[in-house]
Amino acid sequence: MASIVEGLGFAPDAGRLSMERAMAEVRSARAVVIASGDARIVVVAAEAFDPVLAGVLAEAGATDAALVLPAPRLNKMGAPRVQPGAVVLPHLDAARVAHLSLKPDARIDAPVAPATPAQAAALELLAQALVLPAAVTCAVPVEKAAGLLTVTVDDILSFRAAEVASLAIVGRAPVPLEGAPETEFVVFRGGEGLRDQVAIIVGRPDLSRPVAVRLHSACLTGDLFGSLKCDCGDQLRDTVRRMAEADGGILLYLDQEGRGNGISNKMRAYALQAQGYDTYDADAALGFDLDQRRFDFAAAMLRQLGVSAVRVFTNNPQKIEALKAAGLNVVADQRVLGRPTAENVRYLASKRDRAGHYIDFEALAARAPD
């Protein structure tokens, strides 16, 4: 007879459960163990590494300590790489860790070794947990690590695909909007780690024909508070209005704040932008590539809603290619423009010039306030 744990559905997906718990642990400033074959490393998020944690690890007999950093951060620090690297930590020095992982003017002060598979997986774990992509790793005696949560490299690397496969609708209801009174919100669980996603069905789109669709990544500052630093809020409301005035459509509101970096890292990037960095250089200084977002789960949401062909409202070629790669028929793409402001014009130019976004500044100028 199956145990109660197996009967309640935990055992068949033990790896995914371990990953969910590991994400919660690192977000709560606690250590986890990552296993790769017979090797074990203890991992602590660098943003949480303080003198108290350093003392605990030292007392536990930590050895082979290193600070693992992603390639964009290493490149900014004068150690060009295309893969993550590990900086040796002869001493568990919290001040040095903070300097090397966060300070924009920091330079590499020691040799950089290639990251091991377990160390590279540590960065993926931190990315999924939406904390700074910098990890302190070390080895400690087995008995000293007893009680720490263990997650395997395979658990970490397979988690995103498992989240897409488990995507499911958990609630839906009509929510009339200003200018779009016939609107339904459909909430999905899954897609991105431990977060819900929302499909907003505007009007009654004909699913037998190409449906107007927008993949909109959540932007707290722009969507809710009207930030002048981006065009997100304008794009959100303009898309819903255009769908309502036409034949309807579906806007996917995806929990991917800060191009997938999370709100805390977005604010760190904004602080760097205030010092003169452009949006992509600020992200790179924190260890992020141009864009961390994935859109495979967005395509899965559309398929669950019965959509197979789309007309995409976007300026981002990555979204178009992602939907095509996921098997949807993209029959057309249309631009979505916000208002240019003194605060966002450099941001828009950076998206055009560095990420290939389709942004026509003559068309934007026509939308500028008088």
Side-chain angles (χ1 to χ4, degrees):
M1 180 179 294
S3 70
I4 188 171
V5 172
E6 291 171 335
L8 291 175
F10 295 127
D13 212 358
R16 186 171 168 218
L17 181 61
S18 294
M19 178 58 178
E20 291 173 352
R21 291 175 173 172
M23 291 164 60
E25 290 295 285
V26 296
R27 282 184 63 81
S28 299
R30 292 189 286 267
V32 299
V33 173
I34 294 181
S36 176
D38 294 331
R40 300 285 188 276
I41 60 170
V42 172
V43 176
V44 177
E47 69 175 43
F49 192 74
D50 59 16
V52 173
L53 276 174
V56 169
L57 289 173
E59 186 177 345
T63 58
D64 301 324
L67 174 63
V68 186
L69 297 170
R73 175 68 179 169
L74 292 170
N75 293 336
K76 284 291 181 182
M77 297 170 70
R81 293 291 188 280
V82 295
Q83 298 293 333
V87 183
V88 174
L89 299 175
H91 307 285
L92 290 167
D93 183 342
R96 181 169 176 245
V97 166
H99 180 78
L100 291 176
S101 58
L102 264 175
K103 295 298 182 182
D105 58 350
R107 305 293 291 177
I108 284 296
D109 59 4
V112 179
T116 66
Q119 289 173 329
L123 294 183
E124 173 65 11
L125 168 60
L126 299 183
Q128 288 280 6
L130 300 180
V131 300
L132 188 75
V136 175
T137 68
C138 61
V140 301
V142 173
E143 65 276 10
K144 296 291 186 178
L148 292 181
L149 176 71
T150 297
V151 61
T152 71
V153 169
D154 288 343
D155 294 339
I156 296 170
L157 300 185
S158 64
F159 184 71
R160 288 185 190 262
E163 285 288 279
V164 174
S166 69
L167 195 70
I169 294 173
V170 294
R172 60 194 305 165
V175 182
L177 303 178
E178 182 178 358
E182 189 176 7
T183 299
E184 181 183 22
F185 278 46
V186 183
V187 179
F188 290 77
R189 184 140 303 151
E192 293 280 337
L194 308 186
R195 308 196 292 282
D196 291 344
Q197 318 297 332
V198 182
I200 301 163
I201 303 175
V202 181
R204 297 187 179 181
D206 183 352
L207 302 183
S208 68
R209 305 178 62 186
V211 176
V213 165
R214 172 165 174 77
L215 314 185
H216 188 93
S217 297
C219 176
L220 175 70
T221 49
D223 296 343
L224 187 58
F225 292 101
S227 168
L228 300 177
K229 286 179 62 64
C230 65
D231 55 347
C232 303
D234 288 344
Q235 290 181 314
L236 174 65
R237 283 172 276 279
D238 185 51
T239 299
V240 171
R241 177 188 60 79
R242 288 163 65 180
M243 289 177 174
E245 291 174 352
D247 299 321
I250 300 175
L251 184 143
L252 302 186
Y253 197 77
L254 310 175
D255 192 351
Q256 300 176 314
E257 187 80 46
R259 288 193 293 270
N261 302 343
I263 187 67
S264 61
N265 290 315
K266 177 179 175 178
M267 289 302 105
R268 289 179 173 127
Y270 272 17
L272 293 176
Q273 289 173 42
Q275 299 176 36
Y277 289 70
D278 84 356
T279 180
Y280 295 110
D281 284 337
D283 281 354
L286 295 171
F288 295 108
D289 288 315
L290 286 182
D291 200 327
Q292 273 58 242
R293 292 173 294 179
R294 292 170 170 84
F295 299 103
D296 49 353
F297 70 92
M301 292 169 67
L302 291 171
R303 280 194 293 269
Q304 287 198 31
L305 293 172
V307 176
S308 59
V310 298
R311 293 179 288 110
V312 188
F313 284 67
T314 187
N315 305 329
N316 185 349
Q318 180 185 353
K319 293 180 180 179
I320 298 169
E321 293 307 314
L323 291 179
K324 289 179 178 178
L328 291 177
N329 180 16
V330 180
V331 302
D333 55 90
Q334 298 172 259
R335 306 289 79 84
V336 186
L337 300 177
R339 294 166 297 171
T341 68
E343 293 83 2
N344 74 18
V345 66
R346 185 184 182 197
Y347 166 75
L348 297 175
S350 294
K351 290 207 294 185
R352 179 196 63 185
D353 298 339
R354 301 190 61 180
H357 286 217
Y358 306 129
I359 297 177
D360 182 342
F361 271 82
E362 289 186 8
L364 275 176
R367 297 174 61 90
D370 296 333

